Amino acid sequence: SCSRLEDAASFLDSVDVFIFDCDGVIWKGDSLIDGVPAILDMLRKMGKRVFFVTNNSTKSRKGYKG
């Protein structure tokens, strides 16, 4: 079963790479989801590697730029 994350700092310290799905996680339709840029910036400042994946073939990489 799932449980609530109690110690976010320890979790973030334990992960080097984050992989995000674009549709519904980063973007909703053609709109960037609120708060996403700040979270991505925070992860990058922490030295984390960030990658994006999608199965949406209707957009190119350029089509996803914010």
Side-chain angles (χ1 to χ4, degrees):
S1 71
C2 294
S3 61
R4 182 172 174 81
L5 180 64
E6 297 294 331
D7 187 2
S10 291
F11 171 75
L12 289 172
D13 286 343
S14 72
V15 178
D16 295 325
V17 177
F18 288 83
I19 301 172
F20 295 99
D21 179 44
C22 293
D23 302 301
V25 177
I26 303 296
W27 294 88
K28 185 173 182 182
D30 287 334
S31 300
L32 189 60
I33 294 174
D34 290 339
V36 166
I39 294 298
L40 296 176
D41 187 48
M42 177 197 73
L43 291 172
R44 289 179 175 127
K45 284 181 180 176
M46 293 175 71
K48 307 300 181 180
R49 296 183 70 193
V50 178
F51 295 92
F52 304 95
V53 296
T54 185
N55 62 351
N56 182 347
S57 62
T58 65
K59 289 184 181 178
S60 66
R61 284 184 184 185
K62 288 181 182 180
Y64 276 107
K65 290 187 177 180

